Amino acid sequence: MKSLFGRTLTVTVSLLLCSFLLSGTLFMWRSYTMSVENTREQLELKTKNIASMTITLLYNDTPLVREMYLSSVTQIFDEGFNVIICSDSGILLYYADRDGIREGALEIIDAGIMNELKSTGSYYQIGDLGGALSGIFYTSGILLRHPDSQTTFALFVSSPTSGAFSAVADMQRTFFLYAAFILFMAIIVSYYVAQSMSRPLKKMIVVTRSYSRGDFSPKVPEDRDDEIGELAHAINQMSASLNKLEELRSSFIANVSHELKTPMTTITGFVDGILDGTIPPERQNEYLRRISADTKRLSRLVVRMLQASRIESGQTQIHPARFDLCETIRQTILGFEQVLRDKNIDVQIDFEQESMYVMADPDNLVQVVFNLTDNACKFTAPGGTLAVSVVRDGPKVVTTIANTGSIPEDKLPYLFDRFYKADTSRGVDANGAGLGLFIVKSILKMHGENIVARSENGLAKFIFTLPAVE
């Protein structure tokens, strides 16, 4: 397979060759036609110039007239010319060239030529004048008539074609010399242009191969302002995204390993303690409740992982329906009553109306509200505040779920990424794998809506919209 450099250079040179071949053909044809037209005009003009002298020769044929006639004609025409004077029936009367003037022989000019000359008054041909000339000539003919006589004669003047062809050949030779030089320079320029295009692409190939091996550190130089520069910028952005995804993947593996190992170790220890009698019977119910809590924790983790997988693969379908968003939020918050009481969190509800209806998938929206409320409870310090507001804004219903606590500015752009955990130490966010907010954004995206995170006045706010219905 040819490289891009080779294909670009081949195509460019081929186009240049075709262009020069076409332009050269057109130039040769045009230069030839112009030479023929110019030769015809000059020959016809010279023929008219000697017409009056020819009439004098016909009606006053003396040695002096012949000598003067030959001298004048020789000055007008170049070497190789022929002058033929014949009657209107085509019988040759005089034949003149540089060697002198001779009486006509028995030759007769072709009748077709004479008829054309009589009908139009002039004649032009590139040929041998019907066999009267030995070779190919430019020939111009006119009718002659003496003012005092009704008798007509024919005058044919022939000039060799070699002179015109030589001029055309000189023009063509000059053209092709210039064309060859321009083509050579164009090939050199095309070579360097193709090199300038292929060189950065080769660098991109080396860099992308590094990415395929998992090394995202190499960068492509962004030193161009054209499409290749845009491609380099896009590759560098892709590198940053892949690097971030790799970090998230590593973090996810660490988080999931921790989330699975810790409760499983606890469950195994408690079960073994009950079985071998280490835990006395009167405390077994207490430890069984801990086992149950850890089992539910594992179950929630698995469910979230499966839900995220279904969303990413497009298996999750939404079925929009009209429902009361305010009632959904009330019921969801009631499910967190025990958590709110244990952490002494103050709940503030601010609904613009008691009931506000939206068009969305009720089951998926329950998951959205649950995940956001769970996230708020998790990151709210004891004695903090959970604030929920629902207001109408034109065709949308805007829901805000906020809690006391701030989010660092550098973490805001990544909160909704897969596997991202704002608390990397597993201190506050100990029960999660960084999938809750990703699921929230994915569900809202399927509805054609969006969610944003803000950190204002000591509050972490999550704001999302839904289409309102009456």
Side-chain angles (χ1 to χ4, degrees), residues 12-26 175 183:
T12 304
V13 172
S14 300
L15 289 175
L16 288 171
L17 288 174
C18 291
S19 299
F20 277 111
L21 181 62
L22 179 60
S23 60
T25 303
L26 293 175
F175 170 80
L183 180 62

Side-chain angles (χ1 to χ4, degrees), residues 82-364:
N82 297 290
V83 176
I84 296 176
I85 304 171
C86 61
S87 65
D88 58 358
S89 60
I91 299 174
L92 190 64
L93 301 176
Y94 294 98
Y95 180 88
D97 56 18
R98 285 188 176 274
D99 295 331
I101 299 176
R102 297 178 294 281
E103 297 288 340
L106 298 177
E107 288 88 350
I108 298 178
I109 303 300
D110 184 76
I113 297 175
M114 294 303 300
N115 291 334
E116 182 178 346
L117 177 61
K118 291 176 184 180
S119 62
T120 61
S122 62
Y123 179 78
Y124 183 79
Q125 181 199 68
I126 301 177
D128 59 358
L129 197 60
L133 300 173
S134 57
I136 304 300
F137 289 81
Y138 295 110
T139 301
S140 173
I142 59 173
L143 284 175
L144 299 178
R145 180 182 288 110
H146 193 277
D148 299 330
S149 174
Q150 297 299 321
T151 306
T152 58
F153 300 90
L155 172 64
F156 293 97
V157 179
S158 301
S159 177
T161 59
S162 58
F165 285 139
S166 177
V168 172
D170 290 339
M171 293 173 61
Q172 293 174 352
R173 188 161 42 251
T174 303
F175 170 80
F176 282 110
L177 285 175
Y178 279 112
F181 174 75
I182 295 173
L183 180 62
F184 176 72
M185 296 302 298
I187 291 175
I188 293 177
V189 173
S190 301
Y191 175 85
Y192 284 104
V193 170
Q195 279 279 35
S196 67
M197 291 178 61
S198 63
R199 192 179 299 112
L201 294 178
K202 290 179 180 178
K203 293 180 181 178
M204 293 178 189
I205 292 173
V206 174
V207 170
T208 52
R209 283 176 178 170
S210 298
Y211 296 166
S212 67
R213 295 191 296 268
D215 180 12
F216 304 108
S217 58
K219 301 296 180 183
V220 180
E222 300 181 29
D223 53 357
R224 298 173 65 120
D225 295 329
D226 53 9
E227 289 81 357
I228 294 179
E230 292 179 6
L231 177 59
H233 180 68
I235 290 177
N236 289 336
Q237 285 186 321
M238 180 188 69
S239 169
S241 299
L242 290 174
N243 191 45
K244 183 65 180 178
L245 184 61
E246 179 65 20
E247 293 177 358
L248 293 176
R249 186 187 67 84
S250 301
S251 176
F252 168 73
I253 293 175
N255 291 335
V256 170
S257 299
H258 175 78
E259 296 298 327
L260 293 176
K261 181 179 180 181
T262 301
M264 290 179 68
T265 301
T266 303
I267 292 171
T268 302
F270 290 162
V271 171
D272 289 342
I274 293 174
L275 291 176
D276 63 15
T278 303
I279 299 176
E282 63 273 12
R283 300 194 60 187
Q284 288 183 1
N285 287 338
E286 175 188 349
Y287 285 97
L288 286 174
R289 281 192 293 271
R290 294 186 182 181
I291 292 174
S292 175
D294 284 338
T295 303
K296 292 176 181 178
R297 176 179 163 189
L298 287 174
S299 177
R300 287 195 301 270
L301 175 62
V302 172
V303 167
R304 286 195 174 185
M305 292 174 63
L306 291 174
Q307 187 177 12
S309 177
R310 286 196 298 270
I311 290 174
E312 284 189 303
S313 62
Q315 297 178 4
T316 300
Q317 302 294 324
I318 61 172
H319 304 283
R322 176 179 178 273
F323 69 95
D324 185 0
L325 179 60
C326 295
E327 183 61 24
T328 298
I329 293 175
R330 290 190 193 99
Q331 295 298 327
T332 303
I333 291 177
L334 285 175
F336 287 88
E337 181 179 2
Q338 187 62 46
V339 176
L340 296 170
R341 183 177 296 145
D342 292 343
K343 297 184 72 173
N344 192 27
I345 296 175
D346 178 34
V347 180
Q348 298 177 1
I349 305 295
D350 182 16
F351 294 158
E352 189 176 282
Q353 300 175 17
E354 286 297 316
S355 296
M356 301 187 71
Y357 288 87
V358 296
M359 182 61 69
D361 188 310
D363 294 334
N364 281 314

